[in-house]
Structure formats: structure tokens, C-alpha cells
Amino acid sequence: MSNTSQQELSEATLEQAAELLRRKGVGKPDATIILGSGLGKFTKAIQNPVVVPYSEIQGFPETGVAGHDGALYFGDVGKRKVLAWSGRFHHYEGYPFDRTVLPVRVAAALGCNTLVVTNAAGGINFRFNVGDLMLIDDIISLPVRVSPHTRKFRHRYANDSLVNEVTHLAAKAGIAVTRGTYLYAKGPTYETKAEIRAFRIMGADAVGMSTAAELNEAIRLEMACLGISLITNLATGVSKEKLDHSEIAEAASLREKDLIELITRILSDPETPIYKPEYRFR
Ligand code: HPA
């Protein structure tokens, strides 16, 4: 049932959504993954999937952005149970942050405590190229209260040690990755040249219009979490190209195979660090 009201969702509504998913065969996920624009093909790597369109879930808006299909997939990735969200809710589409973090909250209600988030982002760092995969080691998002449910002071995403370990995992698999700080910008218009210059001075390596709220919500829920950006374009002013969203599909097709392989390893490799208890934020 779709519901895009501005009210905050109650725990009872979340529990109802979780109950509906359990009835449809969704069990306790070892990990959940939110798939960014153009990155939905990972769902094909999920074995024995249960597929549930968002429109059937209590409290879920429909998604309306190209490259997002608006359904969840629950199934096996190696020996792990994974809940994948193909289609996310952006604040720039008019959803309050409360709704943008629904996948994280529903996963948590199902007993999941590990989150991976992928997104398309613009490269700010001069060393970045289109097609780079950037492990997010920190976030800049101002104003900072992007987790709508946070009522107290707490530390926030800063993920150096996990990013170090995942960098090793990627190297062993022969997948080139870089790392950096993701800056959340509200969008939906692209940034100005001056904004990108300012963001670079602030310490940002890439910019995008999602992810920060989801990661901060996962931290509030004491999950382990990791964000990965696919650099789909160089940010405004870094290159002379005009930005129009079509580059997302092009860049995605460049690195799709690598990204799917990387995510599969992060979620299911016997040596994956992401399930180590020390990486849960507390
Ligand atoms: N800016 C903001 N968000 C983005 C970009 C960008 O250049 N590319 C992909 N998502």
C-alpha cells in the first residue's frame, strides 16, 4: 500500500511491513544492500529469490527514477541470505528523510544488522576517472541530522578500518577500487562549478544525492555498514562535459561486472570483514 504522507512511520507500521514480508517468504537477512541508479543488475546474482514489489509493502512510496525498478529481492548469495533493494527513495523526489531510510529500518525490523549501500556519484577529486569504484571512508552531510530518528548526540560514519579490509579483499579479487569522502548534496539539480570547488576544499572526493541518510540511520540502528560509489561522471567544472543523467547507465555498464563481483565477495566471501562484530557501530 503506498503512502507518501509526511508523518513519521510508527514502529507498528514497520512491524506490519516486516510481518507481510515474512509471510511472503522473506527470512532474517545476514545483510541488506541498497542498489543505486543503474546498478540494479546485482539482483540477477541472487539465487532462489523472493521478489516483492514496493507497492505491496505498507508505507512504501513507489519509486519513479530511471534505472530503478521498485522491488525487493531476498535470496542466497553464496552461503549468505541477502535482502536487496532495487530502487531507492531520494529526498529530492519530495520524500522526507524518514521515507528515504525505510529499506534500512525494514531490514533492521527483520533482524538484519549489516548494510551495504551503492550509488552513482560525481567525481570531485582530480585523480578520479569515470568508472572508478570508491569505497566511502567518510561522509560530509550538512545540516547533519540526516537520520530522522536520531534524538541524541552520537558519533557518525567514519569507516577507515573496514574500508582498509575491503580494499584488501578487492585487491585479492583483482578489482581496482579507490576510496574517499562522499558529500551529500540535496539535488536534484547538479551542483555549480563554485559549489564543487567549495566541496573540494571541504575535503569531499565525490558528490551524490543519496546514501548519507541511509548510512547514518544504519549507524543509529547499530549496524555495520559500508557505502560504495560508482563514479559515473566528473562533477561540474571538473570536466567540460554537460551532465544529463544518461552517463549513469554508460558508466554503470563499464564497471557493472566488477561491481557485482565486488559486492558478491563483500557479502559472501568466507573472509569478508563486514560481518565482524567490531564493525557494528555502537
Ligand atoms: N552530482 C550529484 N549527484 C550525482 C552526480 C553529480 O555529479 N553524478 C551522479 N550523481
Side-chain angles (χ1 to χ4, degrees):
M1 200 186 311
S2 293
N3 175 0
T4 52
S5 83
Q6 300 287 309
Q7 276 175 310
E8 285 199 2
L9 286 176
S10 66
E11 292 297 329
T13 307
L14 281 169
E15 197 35 58
Q16 265 176 2
E19 196 42 50
L20 172 115
L21 294 176
R22 282 187 208 107
R23 278 202 305 276
K24 288 185 178 282
V26 176
K28 178 180 181 303
D30 293 311
T32 190
I33 177 161
I34 300 173
L35 299 167
S37 305
L39 305 172
K41 285 217 180 114
F42 173 71
T43 55
K44 297 210 169 74
I46 299 175
Q47 306 297 307
N48 314 311
V50 174
V51 184
V52 184
Y54 293 168
S55 55
E56 293 178 15
I57 312 170
Q58 175 77 32
F60 266 60
E62 320 256 348
T63 56
V65 175
H68 286 290
D69 80 4
L72 67 78
Y73 294 69
F74 175 79
D76 303 312
V77 178
K79 292 199 161 63
R80 299 288 181 173
K81 293 285 179 202
V82 172
L83 175 61
W85 303 86
S86 180
R88 61 147 53 90
F89 313 113
H90 299 90
H91 188 58
Y92 66 70
E93 295 171 277
Y95 300 122
F97 284 118
D98 189 33
R99 298 298 148 120
T100 69
V101 301
L102 261 175
V104 182
R105 296 191 77 197
V106 171
L110 288 164
C112 179
N113 49 36
T114 304
L115 170 75
V116 175
V117 183
T118 62
N119 60 49
I124 294 179
N125 188 317
F126 288 122
R127 287 182 291 113
F128 284 4
N129 296 305
V130 170
D132 282 356
L133 294 174
M134 183 187 91
L135 304 177
I136 299 177
D137 59 16
D138 214 343
I139 287 180
I140 300 174
S141 67
L142 305 169
V144 298
R145 189 176 166 269
V146 291
S147 168
H149 309 285
T150 295
R151 297 283 184 270
K152 59 180 186 182
F153 299 114
R154 59 179 309 141
H155 65 255
R156 298 176 58 232
Y157 189 88
N159 228 356
D160 273 319
S161 321
L162 178 58
V163 164
N164 287 343
E165 290 207 47
V166 173
T167 301
H168 288 304
L169 191 78
K172 273 206 285 186
I175 301 168
V177 295
T178 180
R179 64 191 292 157
T181 294
Y182 176 93
L183 184 141
Y184 166 74
K186 187 174 169 199
T189 51
Y190 286 109
E191 301 71 32
T192 65
K193 258 163 84 171
E195 283 165 348
I196 295 298
R197 273 201 309 275
F199 294 166
R200 185 179 300 110
I201 292 164
M202 287 165 76
D205 297 295
V207 58
M209 303 173 194
S210 64
T211 298
E214 293 147 338
L215 290 173
N216 281 307
E217 183 66 356
I219 290 165
R220 184 186 73 85
L221 294 166
E222 303 193 345
M223 298 166 95
C225 54
L226 176 69
I228 306 173
S229 294
L230 170 65
I231 305 300
T232 52
N233 58 277
L234 299 178
T236 312
V238 182
S239 93
K240 296 216 161 29
E241 305 254 318
K242 246 194 145 49
L243 304 178
D244 71 357
H245 210 77
S246 66
E247 61 277 354
I248 290 187
E250 281 168 39
S253 66
L254 274 181
R255 292 305 298 281
E256 207 157 52
K257 231 178 108 250
D258 279 353
L259 185 59
I260 290 173
E261 173 70 18
L262 179 64
I263 293 168
T264 303
R265 286 188 184 246
I266 289 171
L267 295 175
S268 69
D269 190 292
E271 290 174 39
T272 188
I274 202 159
Y275 300 111
K276 288 186 186 167
E278 69 252 39
Y279 288 123
R280 286 184 60 187
F281 285 86
R282 282 176 217 277

